[in-house]
Amino acid sequence: MTKTTSVLLPLLLSIPLSIAQLNTLAQAAGKLYFGTATDNPELTNTSYVAQLQNTLDFHQLTPANSMKWDATEPSQGVFTFNGGDQIVTQAKTHGQIMRGHNCVWHNQLPDWVTAGNFDNATLLSIVQNHCGTLVGHYKGQIYAWDVINEAFNDDGTFRESVFFTTTGTSYIPTALRAARAADPNAKLYINDFNIEGTGAKSTALANLVKQLKADGVPIDGIGVQTHLIVGEVPTTLQQNLQNFADLGVEVAITELDIRMTLPETPVLIAQQTADYQTVIEACKAVSGCIGVTLWDWTDKFSWVPGTFAGQGAACPWDENFLKKPAYQGIVEGWQS
Ligand code: 9MR
């Protein structure tokens, strides 16, 4: 090999690779980022981390657990940010932006919150302090926060969390205002699942956003989780993303994965590939859809098998960190 060839060959080979990757394609389509969730225990796996910090695929990280209430305020007024800090450092080192997840959720709450029997005023001050302290700790380092997570039931009624049963819907503006005061530049989101298609839950969320805006409460975005099942992408996905964007907020796909009943078959794999493509095409087509986050990129660390017995293979990379056809589905979606 001549000297010139040995210099040029790796360069030439790297061009098609660097073009056809998930974040470069998302940004070429005008999006802010393509990203992934990650979790602290995974950061000890060097092969995993090598891909996590591949910015051609991922320009954004979300901590799957370490910014949640049980992790960040395990006892009242005692805050621990080590896990979240580790993921922020990981992202920053590679120029990746962060989504914060989350301030107020009915799940992964410490007992002192759920069993505290607080009155309305006390619980509101607890919510205010939690959101303000959490968001304030990360001031200037988080692109967007899921301030409110999963506030609705599937029929569009409010979920009867400890927050709702104690304060009604008052905890929502309280949390959003506390987050805004703590980091005025962070985008504040409400995030939920089963709001991918039009329907009662999406309508209820849209109505809440309208009401918050009418009341002058800060709200910047709707997070559409997008935990889907192979073959069941709602036909109204793109329309629904557009409906949300038309409220004057940004929209993001925040927790994408598409699970199947195992074992994987060629038919399921082909359908999953098509489904990933459909989801990406929907975000691509809606200018207010600003980015897409996988709920981890590898089946090795997917939450799905632990929650849905007999289901899995939901991610675009397999358990050995090899790209699956689903990866190509995402590529085709951005290139469509
Ligand atoms: O991925 C998270 C998993 O490790 C946790 O065990 C689980 C506990 O509830 O939460 C998972 O993340 C959830 C996210 O915070 C909110 N939307 C649904 C996600 C999957 O359950």
Side-chain angles (χ1 to χ4, degrees), residues 160-171:
E160 302 209 333
S161 65
V162 64
F163 305 108
F164 182 76
T165 54
T166 309
T167 80
T169 55
S170 298
Y171 77 93

Side-chain angles (χ1 to χ4, degrees), residues 64-76 78-81 101-114 130 134 163:
N65 286 297
S66 53
M67 289 186 185
K68 290 172 177 173
W69 200 314
D70 58 353
T72 54
E73 195 185 4
S75 311
Q76 187 167 6
V78 178
F79 286 85
T80 54
F81 296 118
H101 178 84
N102 54 56
C103 299
V104 184
W105 189 30
H106 66 279
N107 233 330
Q108 288 175 280
L109 280 175
D111 282 351
W112 73 264
V113 178
T114 38
H130 181 74
L134 175 62
F163 305 108

Side-chain angles (χ1 to χ4, degrees), residues 40-335:
N40 298 74
E42 303 164 14
L43 300 180
T44 57
N45 183 317
T46 49
S47 308
Y48 173 86
V49 172
Q51 172 56 30
L52 184 71
Q53 59 201 31
N54 176 357
T55 53
L56 300 175
D57 281 319
F58 308 129
H59 179 54
Q60 177 273 324
L61 301 185
T62 306
N65 286 297
S66 53
M67 289 186 185
K68 290 172 177 173
W69 200 314
D70 58 353
T72 54
E73 195 185 4
S75 311
Q76 187 167 6
V78 178
F79 286 85
T80 54
F81 296 118
N82 298 348
D85 289 356
Q86 188 189 4
I87 292 176
V88 170
T89 301
Q90 171 70 31
K92 269 191 177 171
T93 307
H94 302 282
Q96 294 163 317
I97 63 174
M98 289 287 306
R99 299 194 79 259
H101 178 84
N102 54 56
C103 299
V104 184
W105 189 30
H106 66 279
N107 233 330
Q108 288 175 280
L109 280 175
D111 282 351
W112 73 264
V113 178
T114 38
N117 230 345
F118 300 112
D119 63 20
N120 175 53
T122 309
L123 191 55
L124 287 177
S125 78
I126 285 169
V127 165
Q128 182 173 23
N129 187 53
H130 181 74
C131 295
T133 307
L134 175 62
V135 174
H137 176 78
Y138 292 108
K139 183 179 180 185
Q141 303 177 84
I142 305 280
Y143 169 70
W145 270 102
D146 292 328
V147 178
I148 303 294
N149 197 39
E150 303 178 2
F152 290 98
N153 296 312
D154 284 350
D155 66 1
T157 56
F158 281 98
R159 183 189 292 278
E160 302 209 333
S161 65
V162 64
F163 305 108
F164 182 76
T165 54
T166 309
T167 80
T169 55
S170 298
Y171 77 93
I172 297 173
T174 295
L176 288 163
R177 287 191 169 114
R180 176 65 95 232
D183 187 353
N185 293 323
K187 304 278 187 188
L188 309 183
Y189 274 62
I190 299 183
N191 188 51
D192 216 323
F193 63 93
N194 287 352
I195 54 161
E196 290 73 33
T198 56
K201 195 173 190 178
S202 294
T203 302
L205 182 47
N207 287 339
L208 172 63
V209 168
K210 281 183 205 159
Q211 188 62 51
L212 292 169
K213 283 181 157 277
D215 294 345
V217 177
I219 177 70
D220 306 309
I222 296 176
V224 180
Q225 291 185 9
T226 320
H227 294 293
L228 298 177
I229 297 170
V230 166
E232 298 182 25
V233 181
T235 53
T236 53
L237 174 63
Q238 184 181 320
Q239 181 61 55
N240 196 52
L241 297 179
Q242 188 63 58
N243 291 349
F244 285 157
D246 288 346
L247 298 169
V249 290
E250 55 181 53
V251 177
I253 290 182
T254 53
E255 305 187 14
L256 176 62
D257 52 25
I258 310 182
R259 63 186 183 267
M260 63 178 74
T261 299
L262 299 171
E264 287 178 271
T265 63
V267 170
L268 285 168
I269 290 168
Q271 184 64 51
Q272 184 185 51
T273 305
D275 290 346
Y276 267 103
Q277 180 171 343
T278 302
V279 170
I280 297 304
E281 282 173 359
C283 180
K284 187 184 177 197
V286 175
S287 64
C289 181
I290 57 106
V292 175
T293 306
L294 299 172
W295 205 243
D296 227 319
W297 52 271
T298 162
D299 290 335
K300 185 176 181 69
F301 296 129
S302 172
W303 69 292
V304 168
T307 302
F308 302 101
Q311 297 184 45
C315 300
W317 278 259
D318 71 12
E319 296 191 355
N320 299 314
F321 307 144
L322 296 175
K323 289 176 185 171
K324 294 155 56 175
Y327 181 98
Q328 193 56 29
I330 301 174
V331 168
E332 308 272 328
W334 291 129
Q335 288 179 328

